[in-house]
Amino acid sequence: MTMNLITGKAGAPHITSSDQGAMQAGLVGNGNYLLQGSDGKFPAVTMQSANKALIPVLNLVIEGRYARVTAAETVTIESGVTGRNRNDLICVKYTRDSNNIETIALAVLKGTATSGTAADPTVPSGSILNNSGTVWIPIARIPISGITDGTPVMLVKQLPPMSQLWDSVTLNSVTLTKSNANWDVNYRTAFVGGMLIVAFHASRLNTDWNAVREWEVSPLFTLPTGLKAAFEVHCAAVSNSSVGLHGVEVQAAGNEIALRSSAKMTIGKGGWVEGCITVPL
């Protein structure tokens, strides 16, 4: 029989580590992940002394297997050589014996010393999900310059808790500062994860907006402190003026949202522009 009810009562032991690991890998991903600690932070490897790296209490999901360092542990880093550079990798070494007994331990893969830029040592191939007997999972790099060990670099991906992921997809509004007295602007916002969506209707007040060339801008909003566009974004906008669909755009650059002319154009007093832009933060 090739189909099993894993979480059903079978009358005999039938749930294996492979069953649980496959489910967890399907839920969180097939890779290797560092979980948040009880203090809400992601722990990191540090150097305790010149030749001792300290691995703190941490929780890992490695190809579906849940593993813990329950008490801080040190591993020995071999001394470097003056004038030579080397990268060592602190790894979780997983083994499965002929009886399918699985174990893990912390181990170091030593890199090759060089007078130039150091490279990471080759990690032996293997996969827990493919039932390999030995698998090396790098969690941190120790850069060694001469006889000096540098700051460890965490290599395992951080996996945020589900509560944080839920917060990232919850719609929240953001208050924008209107930055131009010549526009009367009504707007709505939605903050979704790292994206700010702004829909607006801007009516021209006081004076005409005369753009004598393309790429002239007229500011509409300033983003709240701490929010900034990761890169410049442009979206088409519409207007009741004669500029047409492609005569005016809305752009987000830095902490500003502005209208931008696509050609020589005029939006007179009483004219309006409306549109929507998604700002990557």
Side-chain angles (χ1 to χ4, degrees), residues 118-137:
D120 290 347
T122 299
V123 178
S125 61
S127 168
I128 298 174
L129 294 171
N130 291 335
N131 299 317
S132 297
T134 303
V135 182
W136 293 77
I137 299 102

Side-chain angles (χ1 to χ4, degrees), residues 8-20:
K9 184 176 181 179
H14 68 289
I15 300 174
T16 69
S17 61
S18 293
D19 294 328
Q20 188 67 23

Side-chain angles (χ1 to χ4, degrees), residues 168-181:
S168 73
V169 299
T170 302
L171 295 178
N172 295 298
S173 62
V174 173
T175 301
L176 306 176
T177 301
K178 300 176 184 179
S179 55
N180 192 333

Side-chain angles (χ1 to χ4, degrees), residues 45-47 49-51 53 77-81 84-90 108-114 116-121 139-155:
V45 174
T46 57
M47 293 305 298
S49 63
N51 294 95
I77 306 298
E78 188 175 315
S79 297
V81 177
R84 310 284 282 182
N85 303 312
R86 194 180 85 229
N87 286 348
D88 287 359
L89 298 180
I90 297 176
V108 176
L109 275 178
K110 180 184 173 183
T112 300
T114 176
T117 301
D120 290 347
I139 62 171
R141 174 189 300 115
I142 310 296
I144 303 164
S145 178
I147 60 173
T148 302
D149 295 341
T151 301
V153 178
M154 295 298 291
L155 301 177

Side-chain angles (χ1 to χ4, degrees), residues 81-98:
V81 177
T82 301
R84 310 284 282 182
N85 303 312
R86 194 180 85 229
N87 286 348
D88 287 359
L89 298 180
I90 297 176
C91 302
V92 173
K93 184 180 179 182
Y94 164 96
T95 58
R96 180 204 305 265
D97 69 15
S98 59

